[in-house]
Amino acid sequence: VAFGHLGNYVKQKSLLQRALAIQQRELPPDHPTTARTLVSLAEALGHLGKYEQQKWLLQRALALQLASTPSHPSIAVTLSGLAVAFGHLGDYAQQKSMLQLALAIQKRAFSSGHPVIAITLCNLAEAFERLGDYEGQKLLLQRALYVAERTVPLDHATIVSTLSSLAVAVGRLGDGEQMKSLLLRASSIIERAFSPDHHQTFALGRRLLSDH
């Protein structure tokens, strides 16, 4: 974990592979610890651009989790990781499917009022965008914004990124006024949290100018 935080994913991968070999030798085949190590190793491989291997390890982890703890919220984490892998591999239909399953688990585990649900809704909206379903993308981002505004501080990065993504979605659907309004909200949050010349404020300002 420490090497991962330091950006040394090669070393992180090496240590996790050693840990996995020990766990597979010493623990029962469906032990939850082995699943957690597989997920961590998959994350390291994802950082290294090894998306096929990442997918394969996460599928192994998911099979173990379903066998040992079929209703545990950690399964949603594995499904979200699989969605990332499928997204990198260009399989957006599978990305969408994994995120829909993750969202269903999170809703059962946390009810609808949890920040992680807003994040999953945003990720699912991205999959809809890649599949060309812009109306679906917009609706998911509206739901994500509703959840985020009730579960995180109003100057939280999740709200800023959701407002920005929603602005792009409504702009693509031809609603320029709504796009401008959402970008102004996002820009005003960044200005309050940082400064008028912060790079994110500048980027949003450029987007506003480019559309008018």
Side-chain angles (χ1 to χ4, degrees), residues 1 12 16 19-20 23 27 29-44 57-58 60-62 64-65 68-69 72 74-75 77-78:
V1 174
Q12 181 188 27
L16 286 167
L20 182 62
Q23 290 165 356
L27 297 175
D30 61 348
H31 199 280
T33 300
T34 303
R36 286 195 293 270
T37 303
L38 285 166
V39 171
S40 297
L41 180 54
E43 184 180 353
L57 287 170
L58 287 169
R60 284 180 60 194
L62 183 61
L64 290 179
Q65 289 171 324
S68 59
T69 55
H72 198 276
S74 62
I75 292 175
V77 177
T78 306

Side-chain angles (χ1 to χ4, degrees), residues 128-141:
F128 271 69
E129 178 187 18
R130 288 171 166 175
L131 291 166
D133 186 348
Y134 304 125
E135 187 65 39
Q137 176 196 15
K138 182 189 80 170
L139 292 173
L140 286 166
L141 288 169

Side-chain angles (χ1 to χ4, degrees), residues 125-204:
E126 183 181 333
F128 271 69
E129 178 187 18
R130 288 171 166 175
L131 291 166
D133 186 348
Y134 304 125
E135 187 65 39
Q137 176 196 15
K138 182 189 80 170
L139 292 173
L140 286 166
L141 288 169
Q142 288 172 332
R143 286 173 58 194
L145 184 61
Y146 179 87
V147 174
E149 287 175 335
R150 285 155 181 77
T151 56
V152 299
L154 293 179
D155 59 354
H156 196 275
T158 298
I159 290 181
V160 174
S161 64
T162 306
L163 285 167
S164 301
S165 297
L166 183 54
V168 172
V170 298
R172 185 178 278 119
L173 291 168
D175 192 341
E177 283 303 311
Q178 180 72 352
M179 178 182 183
K180 178 182 176 183
S181 172
L182 291 163
L183 289 173
L184 285 170
R185 279 183 64 191
S187 180
S188 121
I189 292 170
I190 295 171
E191 283 185 22
R192 286 197 305 271
F194 299 103
S195 66
D197 59 351
H198 189 268
H199 68 90
Q200 283 185 285
T201 309
F202 180 69
L204 288 171

Side-chain angles (χ1 to χ4, degrees), residues 81-96:
L82 264 173
V84 171
F86 279 119
H88 282 298
L89 292 167
D91 191 341
Y92 306 127
Q94 278 284 40
Q95 180 188 26
K96 170 185 166 184

